[in-house]
């Protein structure tokens, strides 16, 4: 009787031990390998996504830089203003009268924003299409034989003239006008034939212009 009871207890204990061992059984090594492979694949995908994002960001930065450079160039092209006098301030000089009508070269440049005015030729070249305003002043000492006059010329067209004539004393005149210019149009001042201009450190003869607005 004792032997049978002890055998029964041993069987019960064995069953309990087997169940407990099943409850605390560790995962198989192959499950760990699968999890590691999944984590590695996820990290690789994240790295690829980051590289793609970096390339896209660099492309966007490059595009923005190009657009900013273009805007700067456009802005610089829209900043146009100049002012120059006939004499640089040296000895007094009288030009003319001449039988022809030469271009007046205003060599003493005070302002030349945009570098559209050429002090070597006296010619202004429009850098952008737009409305421009010009002013010019001419003068000389009076003489019964001639006056003092000059034309504003656009390309080959004489447009407005400033002219004055008197017997004695200093005579001067001025004009101003607004022009619609295309890119590459030129504007300059042409001395009227058989007239004269006088300049000294007082800068009596000047030529100025600026861009009002682009179009």
């Amino acid at each position: 009787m004792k032997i049978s009871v002890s055998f029964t207890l041993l069987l019960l204990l064995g069953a309990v031990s087997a169940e407990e061992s099943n409850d605390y059984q560790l995962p198989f090594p192959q499950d760990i390998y699968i999890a590691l492979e999944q984590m590695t694949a996820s990290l690789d995908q994240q790295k690829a996504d980051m590289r793609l994002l970096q390339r896209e960001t660099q492309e966007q930065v490059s595009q923005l830089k190009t657009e900013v450079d273009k805007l700067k160039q456009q802005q610089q092209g829209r900043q146009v203003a100049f002012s120059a006098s006939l004499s640089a301030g040296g000895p007094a000089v009288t030009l003319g009268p001449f039988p022809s009508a030469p271009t007046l070269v205003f060599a003493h440049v005070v302002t030349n924003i945009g570098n559209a005015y050429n002090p070597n030729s006296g010619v202004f070249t429009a850098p952008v299409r737009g409305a421009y305003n010009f002013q010019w002043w001419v003068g000389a000492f009076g003489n019964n034989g001639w006056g003092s006059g000059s034309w504003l010329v656009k390309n080959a067209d004489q447009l407005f003239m400033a002219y004055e004539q008197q017997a004695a004393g200093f005579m001067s005149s001025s004009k101003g006008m607004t022009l619609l210019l295309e890119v590459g149009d030129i504007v300059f001042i042409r001395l009227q034939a058989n007239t004269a201009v006088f300049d000294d450190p007082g800068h009596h003869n000047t030529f100025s212009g600026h861009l009002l607005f682009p179009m």
Side-chain angles (χ1 to χ4, degrees), residues 138-158:
V138 293
F141 283 98
N143 186 298
N144 285 327
W146 64 78
S148 180
S150 62
W151 288 90
L152 181 84
V153 182
K154 172 188 172 184
N155 297 327
D157 299 327
Q158 295 185 156

Side-chain angles (χ1 to χ4, degrees), residues 53-126:
L53 181 60
Q54 288 176 347
R55 286 197 298 270
E56 292 177 347
T57 302
Q58 291 175 352
E59 290 175 357
Q60 292 176 354
V61 170
S62 178
Q63 291 176 356
L64 287 174
K65 185 178 183 300
T66 301
E67 292 176 0
V68 169
D69 291 340
K70 288 181 179 179
L71 289 173
K72 286 181 179 180
Q73 292 176 357
Q74 293 175 358
Q75 184 65 22
Q76 289 174 354
R78 292 171 179 169
Q79 296 175 343
V80 182
F82 76 96
S83 188
S85 68
L86 196 62
S87 171
V93 58
T94 298
L95 299 177
F98 302 112
S100 60
T103 298
L104 290 177
V105 179
F106 297 84
H108 180 56
V109 177
V110 178
T111 303
N112 196 10
I113 300 172
N115 294 315
Y117 174 73
N118 187 338
N120 297 315
S121 64
V123 174
F124 171 86
T125 304

Side-chain angles (χ1 to χ4, degrees), residues 42-54 56:
S42 177
L43 289 173
D44 291 340
Q45 183 61 44
Q46 291 180 6
K47 290 179 180 178
D49 293 341
M50 290 180 64
R51 287 193 293 269
L52 177 61
L53 181 60
Q54 288 176 347
E56 292 177 347

Side-chain angles (χ1 to χ4, degrees), residues 191-207:
L191 181 66
Q192 170 65 16
N194 300 314
T195 67
V197 290
F198 170 87
D199 212 0
D200 62 13
H203 306 294
H204 304 286
N205 291 265
T206 61
F207 180 32

Side-chain angles (χ1 to χ4, degrees), residues 126-189:
V128 297
R129 184 178 189 271
Y132 294 80
N133 183 259
F134 298 94
Q135 308 88 35
W136 69 105
W137 286 258
V138 293
F141 283 98
N143 186 298
N144 285 327
W146 64 78
S148 180
S150 62
W151 288 90
L152 181 84
V153 182
K154 172 188 172 184
N155 297 327
D157 299 327
Q158 295 185 156
L159 300 179
F160 283 9
M161 182 182 190
Y163 182 85
E164 179 66 26
Q165 183 172 359
Q166 61 190 45
F170 191 82
M171 55 185 176
S172 65
S173 61
S174 63
K175 281 285 180 68
M177 70 178 306
T178 298
L179 292 173
L180 173 60
L181 300 180
E182 303 293 338
V183 176
D185 281 346
I186 62 173
V187 177
F188 57 93
I189 303 299

